[in-house]
Amino acid sequence: FSQIRECTCVTIHMKLLVTLLGVFTSAFLSCVEAQNATSDYFGFHYELIEPNSFTPVAINVAENADGTSDRSISDIFGEKNEINLKVSATPNQSDVIWVKEESGIWLQIYYNATNIEAFGITEGWRYIGGGNHDIGDYVIPQNKAFFIQSKKDFEWYMAFSGYVRQEPMTYWVQHGFNFLNRGYPARISLNDSKIHLSKGFKKGDAMTGDIVWLYRDGDSEGVDPYYEQYYYSEGNIFMTEGWKKLGSDVSDAGEEFIPNTLIIQTRGAGGKVVLHPPQGFPYPKKTTPSIPPKPQVYTYLSLDEFGDPYFNVIWQSDDSQINYTTEIWDDYNKGWWQLDSRTVEAGVILDQWASILGLRYGLGRVVAGWVAVENP
C-alpha cells in the first residue's frame, strides 16, 4: 500500500454535471470530538481552458502532505503530452504553455510531436528559442500561476488532485505583475483572504494602490472571459474603507471571490503577501498519543468508461475498533458535512470517490474515532 503517483491531471470535453459522492447527507458536523484523529486534507479542482485564448492556470493542491509541490511539465501534461495539447509541425500552430521565471523572462513551452531531422529537432517538450533542449523536467515555480495559449476550437478541462494545506499562503511579490495560485480548492472572498493586511500589499485608491486582477470565465451567452480589478481603500470622505472594484461605484466589494488564480499588480516595492484559508478553516493541531492513528490518505484521478474524470481517495483501516468518517468542506456554511461513516477490519482498504464534472473544486478529510464500547 504505497502512495499513488499516477498523472494528477486529465483532459475532458464539456459534459453534464453529476453529483458528488451521490446525495450529500443533511447532518452538519459542528465540531470534532477531542479524541478523534483527522487525516491530511485532500481535494481536487479543475481549470476550464478557453479556445483560442490565454487562460490562467494554477495548481491549488499539493503533491505532498506538507503542502509542497515540485510538479514538472511532464508531471502536469504527461511525458508524451498525454493531456493532449494541440500539436503541429510548427510552434505557432501548437498550444503554448507560458511560464514567467523569476528573472521576468517568459518561457513558451510546447510539445513537438514531429522529428525534424533537418533542424535536429526530436519529439518531446521544447520551448520557443530553445532548439532541441528537452524541458520536460522543468518545474513550475511553487505557488505561481501560468498560462495556456490554446489553439483549439473548443473548451476543455484540466483536473488536479492532491493534498490541501491548512496554513496561510505566503508569497513574495515584486514591483509589477505577480501571477499566483490561490492555494486551496475552496471558495475564498477578498475579505476572508486578508491580503490587505499584508506588509507587502499597498492600500490606496484606484491610482496608487496595488491592484488584484481576478479572472472570470465567459458564459454561454457569448460573453468572453475577462478580468475584474480590485483595490483596497483606507477610506476617505467619498468612500468607506474596504475593497472596491475598479471602474465601478464605491460600494463594498469584499465578498467577491478569488478564482483558482490571481494576479497582484504591485505598484510599490512589494514584499510579503499572505493569503489566508477560508474563514472558519481549522488550523492543524498537535495530537496526543491517546487518539487513534491518523488516517494516511492518498489521492488520484481516474476515468470511467465514458472518459469522465473521477477524484479518488483511499486509506487503510488500522483497527477494527476505529470508525472512519468522511467529511467535505461546505464553502457557504463554513463547516464540515458528513458523507458517511464506516468501521471495518484492520488492513481493509477504504475509499471514496467524486465525479468532478461541474463541481469546479472540492475539499475533504477523513476523521478516525474509537468505536464506543458500552459498559456491561
Side-chain angles (χ1 to χ4, degrees):
F1 183 64
S2 59
Q3 184 168 3
I4 294 176
R5 290 291 186 181
E6 298 181 5
C7 179
T8 55
C9 50
V10 294
T11 304
I12 56 175
H13 298 294
M14 180 79 74
K15 296 182 184 291
L16 296 176
L17 170 66
V18 294
T19 13
L20 167 68
L21 297 172
V23 180
F24 291 165
T25 61
S26 59
F28 174 69
L29 297 183
S30 60
C31 63
V32 177
E33 294 294 331
Q35 294 302 306
N36 287 349
T38 303
S39 73
D40 296 311
Y41 291 6
F42 50 82
F44 66 88
H45 68 96
Y46 70 77
E47 301 278 358
L48 175 64
I49 310 301
E50 296 286 348
N52 297 303
S53 180
F54 284 84
T55 301
V57 178
I59 304 175
N60 292 304
V61 286
E63 277 186 299
N64 309 308
D66 63 2
T68 60
S69 291
D70 55 356
R71 289 184 173 96
S72 67
I73 293 296
S74 292
D75 291 332
I76 298 171
F77 298 94
E79 290 186 5
K80 295 186 177 296
N81 187 31
E82 283 82 357
I83 200 145
N84 198 28
L85 293 184
K86 183 178 180 179
V87 298
S88 69
T90 58
N92 63 343
Q93 296 300 317
S94 301
D95 287 352
V96 178
I97 307 159
W98 292 68
V99 183
K100 187 177 183 181
E101 295 195 289
E102 295 297 330
S103 64
I105 296 175
W106 284 93
L107 283 179
Q108 301 174 55
I109 303 169
Y110 67 99
Y111 190 80
N112 179 64
T114 306
N115 292 322
I116 309 175
E117 295 183 6
F119 297 98
I121 304 295
T122 58
E123 182 179 357
W125 291 106
R126 305 291 182 259
Y127 66 96
I128 295 176
N132 199 43
H133 177 74
D134 191 326
I135 201 168
D137 291 334
Y138 176 81
V139 175
I140 298 292
Q142 177 86 4
N143 299 331
K144 296 295 181 68
F146 55 96
F147 290 82
I148 293 181
Q149 181 184 8
S150 177
K151 308 291 178 61
K152 296 181 180 181
D153 295 324
F154 54 85
E155 58 190 11
W156 51 282
Y157 293 97
M158 291 181 64
F160 303 94
S161 75
Y163 298 100
V164 178
R165 61 185 292 127
Q166 293 174 248
E167 300 87 354
M169 297 292 298
T170 299
Y171 317 99
W172 293 93
V173 300
Q174 301 175 343
H175 180 79
F177 288 86
N178 301 268
F179 306 91
L180 310 171
N181 68 340
R182 181 179 60 194
Y184 314 91
R187 190 181 183 94
I188 302 176
S189 69
L190 287 168
N191 280 340
D192 288 348
S193 75
K194 298 182 176 64
I195 290 174
H196 60 284
L197 301 179
S198 304
K199 292 183 178 179
F201 186 84
K202 183 181 178 183
K203 301 175 183 179
D205 56 31
M207 300 301 295
T208 62
D210 289 351
I211 303 294
V212 177
W213 294 62
L214 303 181
Y215 179 82
R216 304 305 189 199
D217 294 329
D219 59 31
S220 58
E221 303 299 323
V223 176
D224 293 329
Y226 60 97
Y227 285 91
E228 294 177 334
Q229 303 167 55
Y230 300 88
Y231 62 96
Y232 191 90
S233 171
E234 295 183 287
N236 52 41
I237 60 174
F238 300 105
M239 67 177 70
T240 57
E241 180 180 358
W243 288 101
K244 311 298 177 184
K245 183 177 178 180
L246 196 67
S248 186
D249 57 32
V250 296
S251 59
D252 182 77
E255 293 307 309
E256 293 290 337
F257 73 93
I258 299 173
N260 287 332
T261 63
L262 68 153
I263 301 171
I264 297 181
Q265 180 185 356
T266 304
R267 286 170 161 167
K272 182 179 179 180
V273 170
V274 178
L275 186 153
H276 288 259
Q279 184 180 4
F281 209 60
Y283 287 91
K285 296 180 180 180
K286 293 183 179 180
T287 59
T288 60
S290 62
I291 64 176
K294 173 183 175 180
Q296 300 299 314
V297 294
Y298 306 94
T299 73
Y300 65 98
L301 295 174
S302 62
L303 298 175
D304 68 7
E305 58 183 316
F306 303 107
D308 294 334
Y310 283 77
F311 168 78
N312 302 268
V313 59
I314 61 175
W315 69 97
Q316 180 175 279
S317 171
D318 287 300
D319 195 293
S320 61
Q321 296 303 307
I322 297 177
N323 179 260
Y324 293 96
T325 300
T326 307
E327 302 173 356
I328 63 167
W329 176 256
D330 179 359
D331 280 327
Y332 296 96
N333 292 306
K334 308 300 182 186
W336 297 94
W337 290 82
Q338 177 180 331
L339 291 177
D340 72 355
S341 238
R342 286 176 286 177
T343 303
V344 297
E345 295 298 320
V348 173
I349 304 301
L350 297 167
D351 71 293
Q352 290 285 6
W353 55 267
S355 176
I356 69 173
L357 292 178
L359 294 173
R360 203 61 187 248
Y361 49 80
L363 190 158
R365 67 182 185 182
V366 175
V367 179
W370 293 114
V371 175
V373 178
E374 295 183 3
N375 294 323

